[in-house]
Amino acid sequence: MRIVKEAEEAVSASRNHLVFAYYVTGHGFGHATRVIEVVRHLILAGHDVHVVSGAPEFVFTSAIQSPRLFIRKVLLDCGAVQADALTVDRLASLEKYHETAVVPRASILATEVEWLNSIKADLVVSDVVPVACRAAADAGIRSVCVTNFSWDFIYAEYVMAAGHYHRSIVWQIAEDYSHCEFLIRLPGYCPMPAFRDVVDVPLVVRRLHKQRKEVRKELEIGEDTKLVILNFGGQPAGWKLKEEYLPPGWLCLVCGASETEELPPNFIKLAKDAYTPDLIAASDCMLGKIGYGTVSEALAYKLPFVFVRRDYFNEEPFLRNMLEVAAHILQETASGKNYASDKFSGARRLRDAIVLGYQLQRAPGRDLCIPDWFANAESELGLPNKSPTLPVEGRGAHMESYMEHFDVLHGDVQGLPDTMSFLKSLAELNSVYDSGMAEKRQMREQKAAAGLFNWEEEIFVTRAPGRLDVMGGIADYSGSLVLQLPIREACHVALQRNHPTKHRLWKHAQARQNAKGEGSKPVLQIVSYGSELSNRAPTFDMDLSDFMDGEGPMSYEKARKYFAQDPAQKWAAYIAGTILVLMRELGVRFEDSISLLVSSTVPEGKGVSSSASVEVASMSAIAAAHGLSISPRDLALLCQKVENHIVGAPCGVMDQMTSACGEADKLLAMVCQPAEVIGLVDIPGHIRFWGIDSGIRHSVGGADYGSVRIGAFMGRRMIKSRASELLSNSSSLANGISHDDLEDDGIELLESESSLYYLCNLPPHRYEAIYAKQLPETITGEAFMEKYSDHNDAVTVIDPKRVYGVRACARHPIYENFRVKAFKALLTSATSDDQLTSLGELLYQCHYSYSACGLGSDGTDRLVQLVQDMQHSKLSKSEDGTLYGAKITGGGSGGTVCVMGRNSLGSSHQIIEIQQRYKGATGFLPYVFYGSSPGAGRFGYLKIRRRLSSLKPKEQ
């Protein structure tokens, strides 16, 4: 219903006839085909539907013949540009979207608003065109989205890997989606954080027009002939199909073949407008690529589906998951379990969800009969199962629970509630394994974890926290002093090593070894909790021999390519990469198989070092299980190699050092040259730190972080060159510096600066006096390399075509090092308002210096401004103030803001108020980090063994 000024007018409007504007993305036929079924049901219910799409008209008109269907052919987005049928060109996709939807955005919005008003649309439905939601809001019309993925999720990965110029695209798309009322989420869905309210529905798939026998009769194919359909979304052009590719007695139906293409006699070319659901149902199997259309139709018509992996098709892991779940259901059905069929079809449910959801939004509080499936959709399909957390008051029960099931042979839980909870979850896994089948609502990863361990053998447990960057941030790679706080949230790893002959192998791993015919070989098997919250698979396995290249371990470059093969399993590099680093750096050889369970409560993408906590916990567990004595400092340095050389993220070392060497409620003070811990700084009792998540995903692997790092190293190279010039021409005037100024101490300073290794060793006054004006604001990579050859940074590569900021990027670490030193000194000074104000001012200065480098974000800027508003409010001043400063943290470009204030109840209330104000402005309720916990070195490791009594089934 159109939004009108008076609510009474909205309630009185007719419900019997509605006008829907249905926008369909320009990415593939899968979206259009599922829209057909929804549109058909809406029209059957008596409504008008205007479809806005770049897809060919026949896709809709061949399935629906009705005067209530209106087609408007307009392309408002471009989807993913494919280099071929199986590979997405990430950079080309971003550039095409920029050309299609960003450059003409203003005219698109104006045109769509005018058109929506002209047809008097009641509701805008989008699958899943971003600008449609914004246009609806501008026109005063409500909107909903119907999809299994959203473009902000898809393009975010493209930006990280290839499109740093187009980072703003992701935020614009997410903002557009945020205007819609709710998301109607289809199975096989990806994470879609831009949407706040979600309704889950079953598969939506095109209905059959003809039965199997009728289709085969028209094709003149008998029932005894085996038929495979080749369905690659209409893109197999150029493939060389040969007669011998098919077994005797088989025929192949080819979708999308070009008109001029000659096919062998056992291949049948289908017309461009062939109705594929009928052909799929008439076939015996399908060969193709994973997409929503092919997956849904293969499932609906119970057709075996052989698919080929697609590079950078980010929704593939989630659709593959749907296929695996369906296969599991079929397996259990064959074993005798009954599954009740749904009362309504997916399309019917979706139609009802759109109309019912629209009516609920239009008339809040109206007494409507809501179907059970609508209210219970979340519980029916199962909620994401996050890693367990435990309130402090629950310690006693959990202590008794884990002590009842495990003998602790080494180590101490140290009263940590999350560790007790993790041990309890381990104990529960045994019962899942014994039962032979997990409950319906349990995740795949828990089922995999249940069979991971031999419960009669020892298990090693380690723990490593994330960190809050209080001061130092991106200056670590320039050698700065940093102050870091280990947070309460942490990663736990449980590890068991077994002789290959005693190792519980997953079926596909067993098949792989059998195929090699080499007997039992050491295998690594990993289960990681939380896979449904990000684009990754829940399990990973490999033969440890894959790390060998001839007689020695493979290179880091080969390892990086190995883990990058499948985007859904790239996450395993953080964990498995620790094994290769130990092999290369310490000469360790792994003869036993390794089973490893990872459970982290450190949120990903929040700028609190989720990756470092995983690396440190994993390497700590491997070291403990193999009797390796590695100091926390050395372990952190080894973990940095994992991130720099195997993952490919150009981070400094402060994250790993804090996770490994930190202590609860203390700031780790470290000079990053390369990693000298100079002590632990007590946080005064009257001061407290919080972290507030902006909701904008941060990644240290992002192109902007890397470009700022490159800019800083460029600046260092230029400073060294300038110092050398001054030394070589000390008798002449150089930039206003006379010969007399260069005598004695001046010469020594220039000599030191000409060989400057860490940029932070240059004092701010020397930078301002000699070098600041000599550094350009920006420079192209090509121009820099022509003059200076190299920037001397082993973990970043200069792009010749990229324009890099230099002056701001070099200035930041020089001044940040000074700010951190001042901050550390102020923490130990006398308690006063001046102390708190000065500490806060240093935080603010750091924040704006990040922004000058290009590492700010709207969300973090808004949070810092809210802290300032709170600090300078009349109420705060009347109460002597409670909050004093805030700054963006870590790698920047989103993530978490660190806030400092008085350790008081009033401060906590103000943090909550900021949390609510941020939600009111953005729709996102930020997570608040508070509290601290020990680093991995202080925790050590637990060696546990399951008690034999707990392995026996209990009497009923």
Side-chain angles (χ1 to χ4, degrees):
M1 185 48 142
R2 296 172 55 78
I3 300 174
V4 292
K5 293 183 178 179
E6 298 296 330
E8 291 77 12
E9 292 180 31
V11 174
S12 64
S14 170
R15 297 184 186 181
N16 295 326
H17 176 260
L18 299 171
V19 177
F20 291 89
Y22 212 132
Y23 287 78
V24 188
T25 190
H27 176 68
F29 279 2
H31 300 265
T33 55
R34 69 190 181 203
V35 164
I36 288 170
E37 282 306 298
V38 183
V39 169
R40 190 170 63 84
H41 280 74
L42 288 172
I43 288 174
L44 288 174
H47 307 304
D48 286 357
V49 182
H50 294 255
V51 172
V52 184
S53 175
E57 286 190 24
F58 75 81
V59 176
F60 304 99
T61 55
S62 62
I64 304 172
Q65 294 83 38
S66 171
R68 292 189 179 278
L69 173 65
F70 304 87
I71 307 295
R72 176 169 168 253
K73 195 165 183 179
V74 180
L75 184 66
L76 298 178
D77 65 358
C78 64
V81 176
Q82 295 187 206
D84 53 46
L86 298 176
T87 306
V88 171
D89 187 328
R90 295 168 291 177
L91 182 56
S93 298
L94 294 169
E95 291 175 343
K96 183 68 178 293
Y97 186 87
H98 182 264
E99 176 187 336
T100 305
V102 176
V103 173
R105 179 177 172 82
S107 61
I108 288 174
L109 284 171
T111 300
E112 295 311 302
V113 168
E114 181 181 358
W115 177 75
L116 288 169
N117 286 323
S118 71
I119 66 169
K120 298 181 180 180
D122 291 297
L123 187 72
V124 169
V125 187
S126 179
D127 184 357
V128 60
V129 181
V131 75
C133 303
R134 175 59 186 270
D138 289 353
I141 304 169
R142 292 188 172 96
S143 63
V144 299
C145 283
V146 184
T147 186
N148 63 302
F149 74 85
S150 57
W151 287 113
D152 54 332
F153 169 76
I154 301 299
Y155 286 156
E157 183 73 18
Y158 298 176
V159 168
M160 290 311 214
H164 41 260
Y165 310 105
H166 301 298
R167 184 180 60 157
S168 60
I169 285 176
V170 175
W171 312 136
Q172 184 64 69
I173 291 173
E175 183 182 340
D176 284 348
Y177 286 146
S178 71
H179 289 286
C180 88
E181 298 289 323
F182 57 90
L183 165 68
I184 296 175
R185 189 167 62 183
L186 298 168
Y189 57 82
C190 305
M192 290 181 276
F195 302 98
R196 295 184 290 278
D197 296 317
V198 177
V199 175
D200 279 306
V201 295
L203 278 176
V204 176
V205 63
R206 289 181 290 178
R207 64 193 180 98
L208 296 180
H209 291 170
K210 300 175 182 178
Q211 296 302 311
R212 174 186 173 94
K213 289 184 178 180
E214 185 180 357
V215 174
R216 282 188 168 241
K217 183 177 180 181
E218 290 179 356
L219 294 172
E220 297 181 350
I221 298 174
E223 282 297 327
D224 57 341
T225 300
K226 294 295 185 181
L227 192 61
V228 58
I229 182 168
L230 185 66
N231 187 4
F232 280 86
Q235 292 180 323
W239 290 17
K240 300 300 181 183
L241 301 174
K242 299 181 180 180
E243 185 174 354
E244 60 266 28
Y245 286 175
L246 289 177
W250 281 74
L251 292 177
C252 178
L253 304 177
V254 182
C255 301
S258 66
E259 295 180 1
T260 59
E261 186 176 0
E262 293 294 330
L263 297 182
N266 51 350
F267 288 81
I268 301 173
K269 187 187 302 184
L270 296 174
K272 288 286 186 183
D273 58 354
Y275 192 65
T276 51
D278 291 348
L279 296 163
I280 288 173
S283 300
D284 296 291
C285 71
M286 177 162 56
L287 174 63
K289 59 183 181 181
I290 282 189
Y292 180 89
T294 48
V295 168
S296 61
E297 289 170 357
L299 288 173
Y301 305 124
K302 301 178 178 62
L303 189 73
F305 182 24
V306 180
F307 56 85
V308 182
R309 184 179 63 81
R310 301 169 67 182
D311 291 337
Y312 310 117
F313 187 70
N314 296 345
E315 58 266 46
E316 178 176 301
F318 304 93
L319 293 170
R320 189 168 64 228
N321 174 44
M322 184 166 66
L323 289 172
E324 291 172 359
V325 171
H328 178 71
I329 291 174
L330 293 175
Q331 176 182 315
E332 291 190 337
T333 302
S335 301
K337 181 172 181 178
N338 293 322
Y339 277 88
S341 61
D342 291 323
K343 185 177 180 181
F344 301 116
S345 69
R348 170 69 185 281
R349 287 194 180 189
L350 185 51
R351 188 278 312 271
D352 289 348
I354 291 175
V355 176
L356 174 60
Y358 159 70
Q359 290 176 343
L360 289 171
Q361 291 290 341
R362 183 180 66 177
R366 180 170 294 278
D367 184 17
L368 294 172
C369 180
I370 303 176
D372 290 341
W373 64 261
F374 185 88
N376 299 329
E378 284 286 350
S379 60
E380 285 180 4
L381 294 180
L383 292 169
N385 191 353
K386 299 179 181 178
S387 297
T389 56
L390 178 68
V392 173
E393 58 269 24
R395 289 185 181 185
H398 280 266
M399 178 74 80
E400 292 175 2
S401 176
Y402 92 79
M403 291 183 66
E404 175 186 349
H405 294 96
F406 293 109
D407 289 320
V408 179
L409 308 178
H410 178 276
D412 183 3
V413 177
Q414 301 181 24
L416 291 166
D418 61 339
T419 303
M420 299 178 205
S421 182
F422 178 69
L423 293 175
K424 180 177 182 294
S425 71
L426 281 182
E428 291 171 347
L429 285 179
N430 182 59
S431 60
V432 171
Y433 184 79
D434 286 343
S435 68
M437 181 172 60
E439 292 297 322
K440 178 182 178 181
R441 292 180 58 185
Q442 284 188 296
M443 295 168 61
R444 288 192 306 149
E445 56 204 34
Q446 289 176 298
K447 299 174 187 177
L452 193 61
F453 300 119
N454 181 343
W455 295 106
E456 297 180 0
E457 301 295 332
E458 297 170 350
I459 297 174
F460 293 82
V461 175
T462 53
R463 179 190 186 278
R467 67 95 186 95
L468 180 65
D469 167 33
V470 175
M471 287 292 287
I474 58 168
D476 62 342
Y477 53 68
S478 294
S480 177
L481 171 68
V482 298
L483 297 174
Q484 307 294 307
L485 178 68
I487 59 177
R488 180 186 57 173
E489 291 77 9
C491 173
H492 284 87
V493 166
L495 182 146
Q496 186 176 78
R497 55 181 292 197
N498 282 300
H499 190 274
T501 58
K502 297 181 179 180
H503 190 70
R504 283 178 172 169
L505 283 177
W506 291 327
K507 290 182 179 179
H508 67 274
Q510 182 68 61
R512 182 175 66 231
Q513 291 211 349
N514 291 341
K516 291 180 178 180
E518 298 175 352
S520 298
K521 297 290 184 180
V523 171
L524 170 66
Q525 295 183 158
I526 305 172
V527 176
S528 175
Y529 284 163
S531 62
E532 290 196 0
L533 303 180
S534 57
N535 181 20
R536 58 184 173 86
T539 62
F540 173 85
D541 67 277
M542 63 180 291
D543 294 340
L544 287 174
S545 59
D546 289 348
F547 274 142
M548 299 300 292
D549 188 4
E551 295 299 316
M554 69 165 58
S555 68
Y556 289 140
E557 182 181 359
K558 286 187 176 180
R560 185 161 61 250
K561 292 178 180 178
Y562 177 90
F563 288 108
Q565 292 178 95
D566 186 348
Q569 294 193 323
K570 188 176 179 180
W571 59 271
Y574 294 97
I575 303 163
T578 61
I579 292 176
L580 180 61
V581 168
L582 290 172
M583 292 170 68
R584 288 188 60 84
E585 304 300 328
L586 301 185
V588 181
R589 293 294 178 264
F590 295 90
E591 305 296 335
D592 288 339
S593 291
I594 298 173
S595 295
L596 201 146
L597 172 64
V598 181
S599 176
S600 181
T601 58
V602 184
E604 296 179 25
K606 307 302 184 186
V608 289
S609 298
S610 59
S611 60
S613 65
V614 169
E615 292 157 357
V616 171
S618 298
M619 188 173 285
S620 297
I622 293 167
H626 292 83
L628 305 177
S629 180
I630 307 174
S631 71
R633 177 185 181 276
D634 290 343
L635 187 136
L637 290 171
L638 291 170
C639 288
Q640 185 195 19
K641 289 183 180 293
V642 175
E643 191 133 6
N644 287 171
H645 302 304
I646 299 178
V647 176
C651 69
V653 74
M654 70 178 191
D655 299 355
Q656 290 84 2
M657 289 294 291
T658 308
S659 187
C661 306
E663 292 196 14
D665 300 314
K666 298 179 187 294
L667 297 178
L668 181 78
M670 180 180 68
V671 177
C672 302
Q673 301 189 15
E676 180 188 354
V677 175
I678 62 173
L680 296 162
V681 180
D682 289 325
I683 301 173
H686 65 288
I687 292 176
R688 188 174 182 182
F689 296 100
W690 296 264
I692 306 179
D693 168 32
S694 68
I696 297 175
R697 187 174 178 84
H698 151 86
S699 172
V700 77
D704 290 286
Y705 172 89
S707 67
V708 171
R709 175 171 176 148
I710 289 172
F713 277 83
M714 284 178 166
R716 187 194 67 163
R717 180 70 179 85
M718 293 176 180
I719 288 170
K720 291 172 66 176
S721 178
R722 179 59 178 160
S724 297
E725 289 175 6
L726 292 174
L727 274 173
S728 64
N729 195 21
S730 59
S731 60
S732 63
L733 292 177
N735 193 32
I737 300 174
S738 68
H739 175 74
D740 293 337
D741 294 325
L742 297 175
E743 294 294 340
D744 303 328
D745 294 342
I747 294 290
E748 291 183 9
L749 285 171
L750 285 176
E751 288 176 344
S752 174
E753 289 156 7
S754 68
S755 59
L756 187 68
Y757 193 79
Y758 290 105
L759 190 53
C760 286
N761 289 341
L762 181 67
H765 73 275
R766 289 288 294 176
Y767 168 76
E768 294 293 349
I770 312 295
Y771 305 107
K773 293 181 181 179
Q774 303 300 312
L775 298 183
E777 290 286 348
T778 61
I779 192 171
T780 64
E782 184 177 27
F784 175 85
M785 289 189 290
E786 283 181 2
K787 185 173 182 179
Y788 299 100
S789 180
D790 191 13
H791 66 323
N792 302 121
D793 179 22
V795 298
T796 56
V797 177
I798 295 174
D799 180 353
K801 297 181 180 180
R802 179 80 191 268
V803 177
Y804 293 94
V806 176
R807 187 179 298 172
C809 298
R811 185 180 190 275
H812 174 81
I814 293 169
Y815 276 86
E816 182 69 359
N817 189 42
F818 171 78
R819 285 190 290 262
V820 182
K821 290 179 178 179
F823 195 94
K824 180 174 178 288
L826 280 168
L827 279 175
T828 58
S829 66
T831 302
S832 67
D833 285 341
D834 286 342
Q835 177 207 31
L836 292 168
T837 302
S838 298
L839 287 169
E841 181 62 28
L842 291 170
L843 289 170
Y844 288 139
Q845 287 182 19
C846 173
H847 177 79
Y848 293 112
S849 184
Y850 261 80
S851 296
C853 293
L855 291 176
S857 74
D858 292 341
T860 50
D861 285 347
R862 185 186 295 273
L863 284 170
V864 171
Q865 186 60 52
L866 287 171
V867 172
Q868 291 180 5
D869 293 344
M870 194 71 69
Q871 177 185 357
H872 300 302
S873 68
K874 292 181 180 179
L875 179 61
S876 182
K877 288 181 178 179
S878 66
E879 296 178 352
D880 297 325
T882 52
L883 301 181
Y884 286 88
K887 63 174 277 285
I888 195 171
T889 63
S893 298
T896 295
V897 164
C898 173
V899 181
M900 188 216 72
R902 289 185 185 274
N903 186 12
S904 66
L905 186 60
S907 295
S908 298
H909 288 161
Q910 289 188 336
I911 292 292
I912 293 172
E913 186 171 345
I914 288 172
Q915 185 186 37
Q916 295 300 322
R917 288 186 184 182
Y918 190 81
K919 180 185 178 183
T922 67
F924 175 79
L925 181 67
Y927 183 89
V928 176
F929 297 92
Y930 64 92
S932 181
S933 66
R938 175 64 67 181
F939 180 84
Y941 68 90
L942 302 176
K943 183 164 67 173
I944 61 176
R945 182 186 287 124
R946 190 68 185 244
R947 290 184 176 176
L948 294 177
S949 58
S950 67
L951 291 173
K952 298 176 182 178
K954 295 183 178 180
E955 295 181 3
Q956 300 297 322

